[in-house]
Amino acid sequence: MKDPVLGIDIGGTWIKSSPVDVSKGRLIGRPFKIRTPEPSTIDNLLLSFEKIIKNFSWDGPVGCGFPGVIKNGTIYTAANMSKKLLNINLAEKINDLCKYKSTVINDADAAAIAEMLHGSGKAHCGYGGGVVLVITLGTGIGSSIFVEGHLVPNTEFGHIEYRGMDIEKWTAGVIKAKENLSWEEWGRRLNTYLQIMEKLSNPDLFIIGGGIAESFDKFRHYIDLRAKITCAKMGNNAGIIGAAIWAGKE
Ligand code: BGC
């Protein structure tokens, strides 16, 4: 396993990065945060990566999380990013910037990997762990499903249709502030969403991540499911850590 790895988490609003001690699942030092460029074209993203690599004087492998479907390093979807990124092999572009082989995976899958290995999913990570559904609530809704500790990559459960709209536009983390919703109003929306997800996928455990999960106690009592539910423990840096762990495995 390669260690350490530079983890980069591309979000709709921020790009966060840090070298990661992959075996311990921990950041090395403080994360470096820059705004996601507007428009988020490949040239602008690569400029941001250059800044990050320079900031850490980095000369090693890179693992990156991206908010869309990623197959073999190529961007298939980009719901909250520039559509000009579609079909670009982001891993190859990052490879051109540093001499080590880099990897790119979906951002929610990255955060969920960190959570399963080092956070709330730890007890469900191996054989007998059942089905775990990790939902990250931020600019969009990210989803990640683990079966007996194995990731089924690139699920996009934030885009199921509800009352004629994409459900992430109704109940993502940012919607609470955007529509000035109370915890009860937003919590009830989340409950509707999670109940749909339970009906469709029957997980044994839900793990709720994303910045808003820090306020889990404020909305937990609006959620009524058969499955267990808990909040993520790894905090805002889970995406950086998981992206680095993934690259370290390759
Ligand atoms: C994207 C997902 C991503 C999620 C969280 C959604 O809009 O389609 O791929 O994981 O947002 O960033």
Side-chain angles (χ1 to χ4, degrees):
M1 186 188 263
K2 293 171 210 143
D3 211 348
V5 174
L6 176 63
I8 303 181
D9 182 17
I10 304 176
T13 319
W14 296 99
I15 301 179
K16 293 177 286 179
S17 56
S18 172
V20 173
D21 178 329
V22 171
S23 58
K24 295 201 176 97
R26 265 196 238 136
L27 299 193
I28 301 171
R30 292 226 326 260
F32 177 59
K33 194 170 154 182
I34 47 179
R35 277 214 161 259
T36 307
E38 268 293 337
S40 51
T41 54
I42 189 66
D43 290 344
N44 287 342
L45 278 183
L46 291 176
L47 285 175
S48 303
F49 292 157
E50 271 173 20
K51 275 189 206 152
I52 291 168
I53 287 169
K54 201 164 157 213
N55 177 73
F56 292 110
S57 307
W58 191 250
D59 183 25
V62 174
C64 178
F66 178 88
V69 172
I70 300 289
K71 290 212 175 227
N72 301 319
T74 297
I75 299 171
Y76 276 38
T77 71
N80 296 303
M81 304 284 285
S82 166
K83 298 297 172 276
K84 289 190 180 149
L85 291 170
L86 298 183
N87 302 317
I88 289 178
N89 190 315
L90 185 58
E92 270 174 24
K93 298 277 181 194
I94 303 175
N95 282 343
D96 293 343
L97 291 181
C98 54
K99 57 178 186 287
Y100 289 85
K101 192 173 175 291
S102 63
T103 59
V104 183
I105 58 166
N106 172 263
D107 62 340
D109 286 345
I113 286 169
E115 208 52 53
M116 292 298 289
L117 288 173
H118 301 284
S120 299
K122 243 176 159 177
H124 292 258
C125 224
Y127 182 71
V131 177
V132 181
L133 181 54
V134 185
I135 299 289
T136 55
L137 301 158
T139 311
I141 294 183
S143 62
S144 196
I145 200 155
F146 286 80
V147 183
E148 310 285 311
H150 293 285
L151 169 68
V152 180
N154 287 313
T155 56
E156 285 285 325
F157 299 147
H159 298 295
I160 60 170
E161 197 182 303
Y162 181 70
R163 293 187 182 156
M165 74 186 141
D166 211 8
I167 204 155
E168 76 170 12
K169 299 279 176 263
W170 188 65
T171 193
V174 293
I175 300 297
K176 183 180 179 298
K178 227 183 212 169
E179 295 189 22
N180 202 16
L181 301 175
S182 65
W183 283 112
E184 177 169 0
E185 287 166 320
W186 182 79
R188 291 196 187 284
R189 287 191 187 189
L190 182 63
N191 185 45
T192 302
Y193 172 56
L194 295 178
Q195 285 186 346
I196 296 172
M197 285 318 308
E198 176 155 67
K199 203 162 144 189
L200 296 177
S201 63
N202 291 295
D204 301 296
L205 172 69
F206 281 90
I207 301 178
I208 304 299
I212 209 160
E214 282 165 21
S215 307
F216 190 60
D217 289 345
K218 298 201 173 106
F219 60 85
R220 161 76 191 94
H221 42 286
Y222 301 115
I223 312 296
D224 180 21
L225 300 166
R226 278 186 82 168
K228 286 189 287 176
I229 179 164
T230 188
C231 61
K233 271 194 200 152
M234 300 289 290
N236 266 334
N237 298 323
I240 304 177
I241 296 171
I245 291 175
W246 190 255
K249 275 175 134 186
E250 293 271 303

